[in-house]
Amino acid sequence: AQSVTQLDSHVSVSEGTPVLLRCNYSSSYSPSLFWYVQHPNKGLQLLLKYTSAATLVKGINGFEAEFKKSETSFHLTKPSAHMSDAAEYFCVVSSFSGTYKYIFGTGTRLKVLA
Amino acid sequence: SQTIHQWPATLVQPVGSPLSLECTVEGTSNPNLYWYRQAAGRGLQLLFYSVGIGQISSEVPQNLSASRPQDRQFILSSKKLLLSDSGFYLCAWIWGGETQYFGPGTRLLVL
């Protein structure tokens, strides 16, 4: 069975400092992994995805993530946080059973301090 | 380009009343469609998915049902709402890949 674990439920950073949101996955085969962002009372927006191409994936708004098979990790990073990055972030692994189904992490709420 | 719509955006309903939430997708044909619920402070739970007209798969037995009367229309319903049905309901679609694209959501409060 596939699963994802987001290691931090809350992360606080100061504006202009780096962001690190941690995600570990469990999968019996090479997974497809995604990061989504959700602003309050909004739908989920795709930040980036890994589908067995380059292990360093660049996404929107300056975010990137690195797939590390040896560590079963897919951590999300950004060099410099902006106030508008304050939101909830979900790490997702996809599996196929009749259709592509998502297994969501429990989410990490990012707070950006002025 | 593809667009996904959900309505209403917000809904307040009394316990025991019926429910109908609608999701429509534009700019694609024969998408796979999904309904999720996000309860307060919790992650997303897949409720139903559909791979075609009239084809509905239920992931979690509960007070809700889904229908797909048209190719790009997905409806979430209930005959009698419970307090526990409160939450944020999200519709999503896939076509030709495994990336899901989400709608803006419907906030449902059952009182």
Side-chain angles (χ1 to χ4, degrees), chain A residues 19 31 50 54 72 79 95 106 110 114:
Chain A
V19 175
Y50 167 78
T72 62
S95 71
T106 50
L110 176 65

Side-chain angles (χ1 to χ4, degrees), chain A residues 44 46 49, chain B residues 1-6 23-33 71-72 91-97 99-104:
Chain A
L44 275 69
L46 178 68
K49 61 182 178 181
Chain B
S1 65
Q2 298 84 7
T3 310
I4 181 168
H5 303 279
Q6 288 186 244
C23 169
T24 60
V25 182
E26 296 178 357
T28 185
S29 60
N30 198 30
N32 285 4
L33 296 170
D71 181 43
R72 288 168 287 181
C91 181
W93 68 273
I94 279 180
W95 185 88
T99 302
Q100 292 189 20
Y101 297 94
F102 289 80

